[in-house]
Amino acid sequence: MIRVLLVHDTYLLRTALAALVGRETDIEVSSTAWNGAAGKARAVRPHVCVVDMDSAEAGGPRGVRSLSEDCCEEEGGPSLLALATAGRPGPLRRAFEARALGYVSKNASPGRLIESIRRVAKGERCIDESLGFGFLQAAEIPLTPRELGVLTLAAEGASISEIACSLHLSQGTVRNYMAAITRKTGARNRVDAIRISRGAGWL
């Protein structure tokens, strides 16, 4: 039996997808939102974590990096299977940096997802061909993973002090990151940097 943990912040989609995958006789599915992902993974000990990379929480302090470091890198820990969108290279890069083993387009068929779950459970790498160009774009993102994390929180409306608290940084360090982000994106200010980054699919 393949134990799967589905991580998605939208309750309706999460439960519908869990019900669909759970029809397979060799797959047992649990589901959770991003804010409970690490704890749920420790409780159910899945073989595969299917994660929605388009959620803003996936790039936050309790997102895919935390899930990977807290659970997936342990001996016998689960492998990551990322649900991604071709036009958003930022989430693709975050999944790659978290050492995801599989990448499935959100436009793929349910059968493709189920096939990918089985392959990742065996330790096999699988990548949807439709995501290839997104990976090329991801390689060209000028921001570091930390800068993307800071900008993701800023895009959610977090203040400098809130970003510092979430990422365990000083406020001065966060300001330095924001200055670097503004420079690298060619933006006029933080709002402009968020606009540019969203338009490029980095967030």
Side-chain angles (χ1 to χ4, degrees):
M1 182 69 73
I2 302 170
R3 292 191 301 277
V4 171
L5 176 62
L6 175 62
V7 183
H8 200 300
D9 275 342
T10 304
Y11 179 75
L12 181 60
L13 296 179
R14 181 172 76 234
T15 52
L17 194 53
L20 178 68
V21 176
R23 293 176 183 172
E24 302 299 309
T25 58
D26 61 333
I27 299 177
E28 180 181 288
V29 184
S30 300
S31 65
T32 184
W34 269 110
N35 61 10
K40 190 75 169 182
R42 284 190 289 270
V44 304
R45 301 187 63 81
H47 300 105
V48 179
C49 286
V50 178
V51 295
D52 171 34
M53 290 306 303
D54 286 341
S55 167
E57 292 295 325
R62 289 183 290 181
V64 68
R65 182 178 292 274
S66 173
L67 180 62
S68 176
E69 292 174 352
D70 292 348
C71 304
C72 299
E73 293 181 5
E74 296 179 357
E75 184 177 351
S79 296
L80 288 176
L81 175 59
L83 297 178
T85 303
R88 298 195 64 199
L92 271 176
R93 192 172 98 170
R94 282 193 284 273
F96 178 77
E97 288 165 348
R99 301 180 182 178
L101 196 59
Y103 303 82
V104 177
S105 168
K106 287 188 171 181
N107 287 322
S109 67
R112 173 63 172 161
L113 172 60
I114 291 165
E115 174 195 357
S116 298
I117 289 171
R118 292 184 175 124
R119 289 183 61 185
V120 168
K122 294 176 184 177
E124 299 176 7
R125 181 173 292 280
C126 61
I127 302 173
D128 267 359
E129 292 180 3
S130 63
L131 297 176
F133 184 63
F135 274 105
L136 291 176
Q137 291 177 305
E140 298 175 355
I141 295 175
L143 305 179
T144 67
R146 178 60 87 183
E147 288 164 352
L148 279 172
V150 168
L151 192 59
T152 296
L153 291 174
E156 294 173 6
S159 65
I160 294 292
S161 61
E162 289 169 336
I163 295 171
C165 182
S166 293
L167 299 179
H168 307 291
L169 301 171
S170 72
Q171 293 187 35
T173 299
V174 173
R175 289 191 183 93
N176 288 340
Y177 278 127
M178 288 305 308
I181 290 165
T182 302
R183 183 181 70 255
K184 288 181 178 181
T185 58
R188 297 184 300 274
N189 50 43
R190 176 166 69 168
V191 173
D192 196 32
I194 292 168
R195 178 188 62 78
I196 290 169
S197 298
R198 279 180 169 160
W202 300 344
L203 296 179

